[in-house]
Amino acid sequence: MTREEAWQLLVEFNKDEFHLEHAQVVESTMKYFAKKLGYEGEAEFWGIVGLLHDLDFEQFPEKHCIKEQEILRERSVDEKIIHAVASHGYGITVDIKPEHEMEKILYAVDELTGLIGAVVIMRPSKSIQDLEVKSVKKKYKSKGFAAGCSREVIERGADMLGWTLDELIQQTINALKTFRP
């Protein structure tokens, strides 16, 4: 599957600008991590997984990570992509455990990119370029802030990777800095 094919599939099932932007944020974050972690040759694949990870969420939120498997199989999408996108719902809507490092990254950063994005909006500079881990942690501790971003999932993702929460936040900030103002 090419990036263009993935995008066309995404926009077939998603119209909300927020969902489309989130997909692109996660796509870019996944590409960053592929390169950072020595999977540069797979960066496009990691990006496609990031782009498609919430394919079904807008239309089928109650069947998230379940319906997307059906949609992708109907279109004969590679099972590696199907497993990867579905695994980010592990313990939430599916029992498909993230196995590959890429799947663990997706699991960890999906929620975290949303939380960091919310922190950036609240900053006077409205920029990620001067954002530090301590600013994210301060908001992270406030359960009412970006309440839709599961801290439990973020922490489980960090644990899966064998990283501290601070390491995960710093690396995700670094990723976002590469393509966000």
Side-chain angles (χ1 to χ4, degrees):
M1 170 171 267
T2 66
R3 198 270 181 200
E4 182 57 34
E5 290 168 335
W7 178 256
Q8 290 307 316
L9 183 57
L10 180 69
V11 298
E12 181 181 335
F13 287 90
N14 292 270
K15 306 300 181 210
D16 186 291
E17 191 60 39
F18 175 82
H19 291 134
L20 296 173
E21 182 177 334
H22 174 67
Q24 292 173 88
V25 167
V26 175
E27 172 191 24
S28 296
T29 302
M30 293 299 291
K31 288 171 124 178
Y32 169 87
F33 276 106
K35 294 171 187 169
K36 172 87 174 151
L37 299 173
Y39 298 95
E40 193 160 333
E42 298 176 33
E44 192 69 19
F45 176 77
W46 284 41
I48 288 169
V49 168
L51 192 65
L52 292 175
H53 80 284
D54 281 346
L55 175 68
D56 61 352
F57 189 76
E58 188 173 313
Q59 290 187 21
F60 309 99
E62 70 289 343
K63 291 186 174 189
H64 182 43
C65 296
I66 297 166
K67 188 67 176 171
E68 71 188 357
Q69 293 177 70
E70 295 172 24
I71 294 166
L72 294 171
R73 283 195 179 100
E74 286 170 2
R75 288 165 169 77
S76 302
V77 172
D78 188 307
E79 282 295 323
K80 288 181 184 178
I81 293 173
I82 296 170
H83 186 277
V85 298
S87 72
H88 90 281
Y90 177 65
I92 305 162
T93 57
V94 296
D95 291 328
I96 300 168
K97 188 173 183 177
E99 296 168 358
H100 188 278
E101 191 168 24
M102 177 263 297
E103 294 171 344
K104 294 173 185 178
I105 292 287
L106 176 62
Y107 185 89
V109 305
D110 177 29
E111 299 286 315
L112 184 55
T113 57
L115 187 126
I116 292 172
V119 171
V120 169
I121 290 168
M122 299 300 295
R123 297 178 56 74
S125 68
K126 306 278 190 241
S127 173
I128 193 156
Q129 297 304 318
D130 59 351
L131 183 63
E132 296 179 7
V133 171
K134 66 181 179 180
S135 298
V136 175
K137 291 282 291 271
K138 183 177 179 183
K139 294 293 189 182
Y140 185 92
K141 290 176 185 173
S142 172
K143 299 300 179 199
F145 180 80
C149 297
S150 171
R151 276 68 165 168
E152 183 181 331
V153 168
I154 294 167
E155 290 166 14
R156 279 195 311 237
D159 288 344
M160 282 181 194
L161 291 162
W163 296 0
T164 67
L165 181 59
D166 284 8
E167 288 173 315
L168 178 61
I169 292 170
Q170 183 62 65
Q171 288 304 319
T172 305
I173 290 170
N174 293 346
L176 295 169
K177 282 182 178 181
T178 65
F179 61 92
R180 297 297 255 185

